[in-house]
Amino acid sequence: MFSTRAIRALAFANRNRSQRFYSRQAGWQRWRKPAVIVGLSAGACGYAIYNYDTAYLVAVSVYRSSVAAKVTFQIAWDYYRNFPDLPPEDSIDDAERQAILKARSDVHLRSAEKVKRALMKNGGVYIKLGQHISAMQYVLPLEWCLTMQALQDQNTASTLQDLDRVVIADTGKSIEQLFSSFDTEPIGVASLAQVHRAVLRETGEEVAVKIQHPMVRTYSDIDIATVSVMFEFIHSVFPNFKFMWLSSEMKNSLPRELDFRNDKHNAEQVAWNFAKHADIPLTVPRMIQASERVLIMEYVRGRRCDDLLYLKQHDIDPQQVSCAIGRVFAEMTYVQGFLHCDPHPGNLFVRPRAKGSAPHGYNFDLVLLDHGLYRQLSSRFRYEYAEMWYALMKGDQDGIKYWSRRLSGTDLYRLFSIILTGQNWSTIEEKSLSRTTAAAQFNMDTLMEQQPDLFQKIIEVLSLVPPVLLLVLKTNDLLRMIDQRLFADQPPTVQHHSQLRLWMRISHYCLLAIRDAREAEIRHKPTTVSVVRVYRLVFNRLGFWFSDMALTLYSALLSIQDVFIRCNLLLSSLFS
């Protein structure tokens, strides 16, 4: 038996051990959370130090995606809360209507500015998306197109050190080893690459060097995926939003544009296509060397085709420039089927030359640049597209309905015609595209005022048409924009005549494509009498000749009228 004193001493010792245990446990509980945080932080820092490139890429990708997500939520909410419906015209007075239109315009402008800032912050692929939007002036509200046009000239140049790393990685040699001189100031900066003038060390030849921005390829996949997810999210919230075709087109086109070996191949192909056309003043810079991210080509001097002051200084007629551009792209679209799909003014230069010094007879060359984005147009597509345009020129509504259905896969033939021509339906219906004596007025904003659901219908059409047709429509819009700029300082009548000549050039090549398609059909159609085949071929050729001669005579008449108009203006200015 233990004594009372011994039992008390044992109990006291046990109580002290228990207190020390719980004290240590409470201390661990108090420090466990900070310890976990410190441990995770140390692990993350260690991983980042050991795998710096991967960690940096993940962090930047998350940041870029968050920028895109933030602006997507902002504009979706703005349109949901603040974009008013436009009631029928007879249900409200003019003051209320103007107030609603002003509110809608403010939302468009506010949203476009937010998107532009986000695109500029992310750069690269996002800038390319903004430039694509800016070219859709006959599809999107004017506020969006004008806001995005600023992105054509607001690209950030990469540093020389970054470019040198790209050149070494792709060619195995540094800039200093490849070139005896290399201008540090770029002659052009685009969303995906920039161009410098240099001199090859081996041959002494003056060249232009196109080098891809270092991180464009790195971020391209995550950027395209982010844009696709954002568009799908907006579509899930707003089912009427059908812009997924835009992200789909980027996904298909961008990988080709990011590989500069495609530029070299496309440039050589188009140069070969036009080699037999000595009457067309087209020049394609000679490609010297290409890798995925570095392209070395012949250096060609010149300025943008819409630089009216430069054209005037070198006595180059804007009308001839417009004609040359129209012929080049009509030949590509209706005859060759190999189409340059990014003909903005920065990709079309004019190089002065002495008149009579070249077979084409012009005093300039049209220099075609940036050969990353091309599409091959099938013979069937070219024929159907030509028939559609020819039906539009004639105002043949049955033909328009039929060929619109064949091309676009929709029954919205009137809307498709408006998108294709950039003209009001009344102008087409009255057979006035190529014969009217008054300027055809077209304004997308006006049409949207008259038909509040027009924008949604346009988006519906664009979501249904084949992808190749989307790029052809974009090319049409860019060419119309160039034509408008070339005649910006001319009298309204001369501007309108330039539009008519554009329709007539299109008509000429449509007739050519239709003639060749029908001729091929006649030759392959079985017949026992060769005389019948010859008769059909001759009749087909004569029909083309008479129609084309009428277009040529009318074009000559317009040119004569333009001369008289300019003379009258000159005399008026002299005697005023």
Side-chain angles (χ1 to χ4, degrees), residues 464-527:
L464 295 173
V465 301
V468 67
L469 184 55
L470 290 172
L471 279 179
V472 172
L473 292 173
K474 173 198 169 186
T475 303
N476 281 348
D477 285 348
L478 288 170
L479 293 174
R480 272 198 291 259
M481 178 185 69
I482 290 174
D483 222 50
Q484 290 170 0
R485 292 182 180 181
L486 283 171
F487 292 91
D489 62 346
Q490 296 296 316
T493 306
V494 175
Q495 292 182 17
H496 177 55
H497 286 178
S498 76
Q499 181 69 62
L500 292 181
R501 273 188 288 268
L502 173 62
W503 300 137
M504 285 184 284
R505 282 195 298 272
I506 292 174
S507 294
H508 164 77
Y509 279 95
C510 288
L511 287 169
L512 192 63
I514 294 168
R515 183 204 68 182
D516 291 345
R518 290 177 180 174
E519 192 169 286
E521 183 183 1
I522 293 169
R523 291 182 186 278
H524 290 89
K525 191 173 183 178
T527 178

Side-chain angles (χ1 to χ4, degrees), residues 266-369:
N266 293 337
E268 291 169 348
Q269 179 65 53
V270 78
W272 186 87
N273 288 349
F274 281 91
K276 57 187 176 183
H277 293 282
D279 58 328
I280 297 179
L282 180 67
T283 294
V284 178
R286 179 173 53 87
M287 301 290 127
I288 298 171
Q289 179 182 333
S291 63
E292 283 192 81
R293 297 185 294 171
V294 180
L295 178 64
I296 303 173
M297 71 195 94
E298 171 193 8
Y299 180 76
V300 180
R301 286 176 169 79
R303 296 285 287 274
R304 288 168 53 120
C305 65
D306 62 345
D307 189 336
L308 297 179
L309 180 59
Y310 182 78
L311 298 182
K312 187 175 181 180
Q313 289 171 347
H314 293 86
D315 196 28
I316 297 173
D317 186 357
Q319 181 176 313
Q320 290 190 336
V321 175
S322 170
C323 178
I325 294 172
R327 289 185 65 192
V328 166
F329 281 88
E331 185 77 25
M332 287 181 175
T333 304
Y334 299 102
V335 181
Q336 299 169 359
F338 191 61
L339 180 64
H340 187 300
C341 295
D342 196 19
H344 62 76
N347 288 339
L348 284 165
F349 273 33
V350 170
R351 177 177 64 180
R353 65 183 306 157
K355 194 166 187 177
S357 62
H360 52 64
Y362 294 90
N363 66 337
F364 66 90
D365 288 325
L366 187 65
V367 184
L368 186 60
L369 304 171

Side-chain angles (χ1 to χ4, degrees), residues 383-384 387-388 391 396-410 413:
Y383 171 67
E384 292 178 352
E387 287 279 17
M388 177 67 186
D396 177 8
Q397 291 198 43
D398 290 335
I400 292 171
K401 290 178 185 178
Y402 177 77
W403 294 111
S404 175
R405 177 67 185 175
R406 290 289 297 270
L407 269 175
S408 68
T410 73
Y413 67 94

